[in-house]
Amino acid sequence: MKTLIIAEKPDMGRNIAAAIDPKAKNHRTYIEGEHYIITWAIGHLIGLAEPDAYDDRYKRWNIGDLPIIPDVFKLVPNRKTMDQLKVIKELAKRCDSLVNGCDAGREGQYIFSLIQRHLKLRQPVKRLWISDLTPETIRRGFAELRDGSEYENLTKAATARSEADWLIGMNGSRAFTTKHNVLLSVGRVQTPVLALIYDRQKTIETFDSLKFYEVEAKFLQEDTAYRGLWQGERMTDPKKAEAIAAKVKGKAGSIASYEVKDVKEYPFKLYDLTLLQREANGKFGFSAKKTLDTAQALYEKHKVITYPRTNSNYVTEQNIPEMHKTLSSLHGTSYDDWAKGANKSLVHKGNKFVCNPAKVEDHHAILPTHRKASGLSPDEAKLYDLIVRRFLSQFYPAAEYKSHTVLTEVEKETFKTTVKELLSLGWKVLYADQKKDKPKGAKKDKEDESEDEEEVLEPFSVNPALGVKCTDAVMKEKETQPPKPYTEGTLLKAMESAGKQIEDEEVRDAMKDSGLGTPATRAATIERLKNVGYVTMQGKRIAITQKGRTAIELIRAAGVELLTSPEMTGMWERRLNEIARGGASDAAFMENVKKFATMIVDKVRQQARADIKAFEGDEKPGKGRGQRSSRSGASGRTSRTNSASPDASPGKAARSTAVKERAEAPGDGTIADCPRPGCGGRLFMGRKGYGCSHYRSGCSFVIWKESFGRSLTDAQVRAIAEKGKTAKLKLNMADGAEIQGRIVLRNPVTGELAVEADR
């Protein structure tokens, strides 16, 4: 018999087939060779069942039925991909062994595990664990297949993560929604991230700015001119500052001290996913999701970078030869000059800034592969360029400076001067064409540094034995500044360290195991906050909506503020990582989650109902329909959010209060009867979806406007509601494929949609 290889996506399956059996025959849904049959999932083929799968009474939302805590979680196939699941089932009957070829990470492990459990596959399993999709790496991975049992702890962690998210999301969302008669989404990761945004906004709003004053003096010693800042306690009296400026201006002074030291600045660390997302957001305005999707395309479609969903900034000893090979492959490309100027000997196993196996778990840092890039889209090219430059910088020496610190004394007043004199650009030559866009990753953000440091290209020196003259002195008015609103980049940084404002890289590295979510899920969490109407984007800034504010205030007022605690949720993530390593019990973790879900429900029962006006506020009619809402519902993912998604909202529709009130009178602005059996409500258009006028009674039916790459019209939604399908349309699937087909109503209870492809 043969071995069945199950990849995570079609492209990955085809790459595997091309590497290990290029003569294998393509059968569209699988590829068969002499020894192997290669097939694939299409993301998640299986999911956790909705509550009504356990009891019909859960179809109606009622706080009296909570908490919902299954003894054993039921699995259900995704109807959109049922055919592919049947293919896997039939192929497995012809094979006596399996290879898990899904993504080498927690989610990939979970996808395979769900298929294995649902189909009751009993064959022995081997695990393919690779970090890029080049043929050489795939073949080496098959030569080094490991026993599937070695990853049992990772499976336990993945399962615990999913079931914990279900328990918190389902119970929390239903409890708060039914109590307050407004669709409120609650989630294990989503809610503390929203709390970070809320707390930052409150700090900004309550910030009391304070004026203070500095004195800047200009000095001249022979031909050397420099400036210095007055040293002393912060001055809040402008008269004092003016008096000091007048006192020293035009007067002679002396050098009280002069210190010179050599400084080296080494290249910034290689990228992990979060750092890449942060920099792409700062430089290009990419959302975290866009960066992840683009990086995934570079990995899976073009095969020009290694596995992107990593939390490591380092490589292992085994990666060093591959890095050298990649460097050689960059000769003759647009990076030829830099590749020729690189020094291979600088990247070796003894260089702990690059090679640190202790800080590599599942995957090493993101690297370019030795495959030459071609056919990249403009956005793919931008991201690839970031990765290549960061990679090449490791083969360049440190940038070298002389740091000059001068204390100048005039009329018993002391002024400090710090001059950073460039001696050698080193690795910074790679960024010489991006002077305004310095790469991130340093221990301090540049914007937080004092203005008293000046970087110069020409030689600088003073003579302590000679006098100086203060040629000018001026008072400068300053003002203390509140923290800046979060951007996606700075929010990712906060999520990585569970909200702790940690500048020290080593400490921040230690916090990675207890961050909010994982590198692979943080982008989806931010998108979810947009989709449920808790935040909006104002340029690059993330702004919390009135609904988002009220949600956090209600949760905290209920006495379940732990649900909003980044540190607590970060500790949960750390525990999941410990489970994956075999250092903690998944059963004990789940018991604690069940107790917490029960506590949430108990606390919410005792809470007074919020006034509906508490959810009204800052959003103008139509706001959010443009670039934000149209992009937030990614094509092909809309119907999936109607399933038991961990952080998804109960009905999933972010309805504005004005639309809710309008929908109270059936026929006013409604377009069709609600398809949910026995409901009797009418569908109306909300800000991002078409919901039911009986939502207050627990009807969670909703059809998202943005579905499968289409912005649905009233007529199309009416056709779905009344006929069960649209006319033939051009649609975009989750894997990026464009097809001709019809959008069909898969689930009349929830509004979940699917695609009926045109044969």
Side-chain angles (χ1 to χ4, degrees):
M1 296 182 82
K2 297 181 180 182
T3 295
L4 178 63
I5 302 167
I6 302 176
E8 187 162 326
K9 293 179 182 176
D11 276 354
M12 185 181 294
R14 295 184 187 104
N15 287 329
I16 291 172
I20 65 170
D21 197 349
K23 295 182 180 179
K25 187 176 179 181
N26 191 337
H27 294 272
R28 194 174 66 82
T29 56
Y30 67 95
I31 300 170
E32 186 167 0
E34 185 178 353
H35 302 291
Y36 295 108
I37 301 176
I38 302 104
T39 190
W40 41 80
I42 308 170
H44 284 267
L45 300 182
I46 312 289
L48 298 182
E50 295 278 352
D52 56 24
Y54 300 92
D55 195 312
D56 280 347
R57 75 177 189 271
Y58 295 145
K59 289 180 179 178
R60 183 180 178 86
W61 290 28
N62 189 328
I63 197 168
D65 292 330
L66 302 178
I68 305 169
I69 300 179
D71 292 328
V72 177
F73 282 84
K74 295 182 179 181
L75 304 181
V76 292
N78 183 334
R79 295 196 185 191
K80 289 190 300 180
T81 53
M82 184 78 81
D83 289 346
Q84 187 61 22
L85 187 63
K86 290 177 181 176
V87 168
I88 296 174
K89 182 178 181 179
E90 292 305 312
L91 293 175
K93 293 176 181 177
R94 299 168 49 201
C95 299
D96 59 1
S97 62
L98 305 174
V99 171
N100 176 1
C102 294
D103 276 359
R106 192 166 76 185
E107 281 308 296
Q109 191 70 17
Y110 188 51
I111 287 170
F112 180 86
S113 168
L114 291 176
I115 295 170
Q116 188 182 26
R117 285 163 56 194
H118 183 73
L119 296 180
K120 297 182 173 59
L121 304 181
R122 305 300 182 205
Q123 297 93 328
V125 177
K126 295 290 185 181
R127 185 57 158 114
L128 175 67
W129 194 271
I130 54 177
S131 284
D132 68 64
L133 293 174
T134 58
E136 296 88 344
T137 299
I138 293 171
R139 285 191 285 268
R140 185 169 63 247
F142 271 89
E144 300 170 354
L145 287 174
R146 302 178 73 172
D147 196 273
S149 61
E150 294 183 34
Y151 297 88
E152 184 59 33
N153 288 325
L154 184 61
T155 303
K156 288 180 180 178
T159 303
R161 191 280 307 162
S162 180
E163 293 177 358
D165 285 346
W166 193 99
L167 287 170
I168 301 301
M170 288 296 182
N171 287 291
S173 297
R174 287 188 175 217
F176 280 101
T177 295
T178 53
K179 186 67 176 182
H180 301 292
N181 270 347
V182 173
L183 287 162
L184 294 175
S185 174
V186 171
R188 182 183 66 90
V189 177
Q190 167 192 312
T191 301
V193 174
L194 180 62
L196 285 177
I197 300 167
Y198 173 91
D199 291 340
R200 173 64 62 89
Q201 187 59 36
K202 292 293 284 186
T203 301
I204 293 170
E205 290 170 357
T206 59
F207 186 82
D208 190 9
S209 184
L210 174 69
K211 286 185 179 180
F212 65 97
Y213 303 89
E214 292 180 346
V215 176
E216 180 182 279
K218 294 182 179 179
F219 302 105
L220 184 64
Q221 185 188 72
E222 296 184 326
D223 294 331
T224 301
Y226 62 98
R227 62 185 181 91
L229 285 179
W230 181 81
Q231 300 298 290
E233 293 183 359
R234 176 175 283 180
M235 292 183 285
T236 57
D237 183 356
K239 292 181 179 178
K240 180 180 177 182
E242 287 174 346
I244 292 173
K247 177 182 177 183
V248 301
K249 186 175 181 179
K251 301 293 178 61
S254 60
I255 305 293
S257 73
Y258 178 40
E259 180 183 329
V260 183
K261 60 181 179 180
D262 293 324
V263 175
K264 290 187 177 182
E265 290 187 9
Y266 290 92
F268 297 133
K269 291 189 297 187
L270 291 165
Y271 286 122
D272 61 10
L273 177 60
T274 301
L275 188 58
L276 181 64
Q277 288 170 317
R278 285 170 49 197
E279 186 157 337
N281 180 254
K283 289 176 71 68
F284 310 130
F286 287 3
S287 69
K289 181 181 183 301
K290 181 172 183 176
T291 297
L292 175 57
D293 291 346
T294 305
Q296 193 69 20
L298 291 172
Y299 163 68
E300 196 170 300
K301 178 182 175 183
H302 299 288
K303 297 181 277 296
V304 294
I305 67 168
T306 58
Y307 186 72
R309 299 169 186 242
T310 175
N311 69 344
S312 179
N313 305 100
Y314 301 92
V315 302
T316 67
E317 296 175 2
Q318 290 73 32
N319 300 126
I320 300 298
E322 286 296 315
M323 291 180 73
H324 289 170
K325 184 176 180 181
T326 297
L327 176 63
S328 298
S329 72
L330 290 171
H331 287 270
T333 69
S334 58
Y335 299 97
D336 184 66
D337 287 344
W338 289 334
K340 287 177 179 175
N343 182 353
K344 277 188 178 182
S345 67
L346 292 176
V347 174
H348 54 85
K349 64 182 181 181
N351 181 349
K352 295 302 180 184
F353 291 103
V354 176
C355 183
N356 194 337
K359 293 187 177 182
V360 179
E361 292 181 4
D362 296 341
H363 296 285
H364 56 73
I366 302 171
L367 304 170
T369 67
H370 52 79
R371 175 173 288 228
K372 285 183 167 56
S374 63
L376 304 186
S377 71
D379 288 340
E380 288 168 347
K382 287 178 181 177
L383 205 65
Y384 180 68
D385 182 67
L386 285 183
I387 295 166
V388 172
R389 291 191 197 223
R390 185 62 61 97
F391 167 80
L392 283 170
S393 71
Q394 312 305 315
F395 293 90
Y396 276 74
E400 296 182 9
Y401 298 87
K402 277 192 182 296
S403 177
H404 305 261
T405 304
V406 186
L407 291 181
T408 306
E409 206 169 83
V410 183
E411 296 293 313
K412 296 185 179 180
E413 303 292 347
T414 302
F415 296 81
K416 184 178 180 181
T417 302
T418 304
V419 174
K420 192 176 176 184
E421 177 191 347
L422 177 65
L423 301 178
S424 171
L425 268 177
W427 62 273
K428 291 189 177 183
V429 69
L430 297 166
Y431 299 93
D433 60 335
Q434 300 179 348
K435 290 180 182 178
K436 291 184 179 179
D437 300 315
K438 295 181 181 179
K440 295 181 181 178
K443 292 187 179 180
K444 289 184 180 179
D445 290 327
K446 294 294 181 184
E447 64 189 18
D448 295 332
E449 288 185 357
S450 173
E451 294 180 1
D452 64 353
E453 182 177 82
E454 182 180 2
E455 188 169 325
V456 298
L457 301 178
E458 65 277 359
F460 175 87
S461 68
V462 294
N463 187 341
L466 298 178
V468 300
K469 183 176 181 180
C470 178
T471 58
D472 195 12
V474 294
M475 177 193 76
K476 289 189 172 183
E477 183 179 297
K478 300 278 186 174
E479 204 169 31
T480 54
Q481 298 296 315
K484 291 180 171 60
Y486 280 118
T487 63
E488 288 203 29
T490 57
L491 182 60
L492 284 166
K493 179 181 176 182
M495 291 170 73
E496 187 177 45
S497 55
K500 295 183 182 297
Q501 298 305 307
I502 299 169
E503 294 301 333
D504 186 282
E505 285 190 357
E506 290 186 9
V507 178
R508 201 160 63 235
D509 281 347
M511 284 295 296
K512 278 188 176 182
D513 281 350
S514 55
L516 294 176
T518 66
T521 62
R522 286 171 189 145
T525 299
I526 296 173
E527 290 301 308
R528 194 168 294 122
L529 291 175
K530 300 175 190 175
N531 292 341
V532 299
Y534 284 160
V535 302
T536 60
M537 298 303 297
Q538 295 178 352
K540 286 187 180 181
R541 296 179 173 185
I542 300 173
I544 192 166
T545 64
Q546 185 60 36
K547 182 180 180 181
R549 289 172 184 263
T550 304
I552 291 298
E553 289 165 359
L554 285 174
I555 291 167
R556 286 175 169 167
V560 287
E561 58 273 6
L562 276 180
L563 188 54
T564 68
S565 167
E567 290 83 1
M568 177 59 70
T569 306
M571 293 307 295
W572 288 0
E573 199 66 50
R574 173 177 283 185
R575 185 55 53 89
L576 288 169
N577 282 316
E578 289 172 353
I579 293 168
R581 299 182 194 119
S585 164
D586 57 325
F589 173 79
M590 288 304 300
E591 279 305 309
N592 287 331
V593 172
K594 290 173 184 177
K595 290 176 183 176
F596 188 59
T598 301
M599 185 189 79
I600 292 171
V601 174
D602 290 342
K603 294 283 189 181
V604 175
R605 276 201 187 99
Q606 301 168 27
Q607 192 174 33
R609 177 166 292 171
D611 189 326
I612 189 66
K613 292 180 180 178
F615 299 92
E616 299 173 6
D618 50 356
E619 291 195 13
K620 298 177 182 178
K623 184 176 180 180
R625 283 192 195 174
Q627 57 179 0
R628 290 184 298 276
S629 62
S630 65
R631 285 203 298 255
S632 60
S635 62
R637 297 183 187 271
T638 304
S639 61
R640 191 168 144 193
T641 59
N642 283 336
S643 65
S645 178
D647 281 333
S649 67
K652 320 301 189 296
R655 304 182 177 105
S656 69
T657 304
V659 175
K660 290 177 188 174
E661 292 173 347
R662 188 175 70 240
E664 291 300 309
D668 181 12
T670 62
I671 63 166
D673 290 336
C674 177
R676 182 167 179 158
C679 174
R682 294 276 295 174
L683 297 186
F684 64 92
M685 185 177 72
R687 185 162 63 86
K688 295 182 181 178
Y690 291 80
C692 178
S693 60
H694 285 185
Y695 70 91
R696 289 184 186 275
S697 304
C699 182
S700 58
F701 185 93
V702 62
I703 293 176
W704 287 103
K705 290 179 192 175
E706 301 296 328
S707 296
F708 303 104
R710 304 285 305 195
S711 184
L712 298 181
T713 64
D714 288 356
Q716 288 164 343
V717 174
R718 187 180 298 111
I720 293 171
E722 295 176 351
K723 301 176 183 177
K725 64 176 67 177
T726 65
K728 190 188 300 183
L729 301 168
K730 185 177 180 181
L731 304 171
N732 291 328
M733 303 305 291
D735 60 2
E738 289 189 357
I739 68 166
Q740 292 286 332
R742 294 169 172 81
I743 298 177
V744 300
L745 181 60
R746 175 183 147 183
N747 189 337
V749 174
T750 64
E752 183 176 357
L753 304 178
V755 167
E756 183 182 273
D758 188 38
R759 302 293 182 186

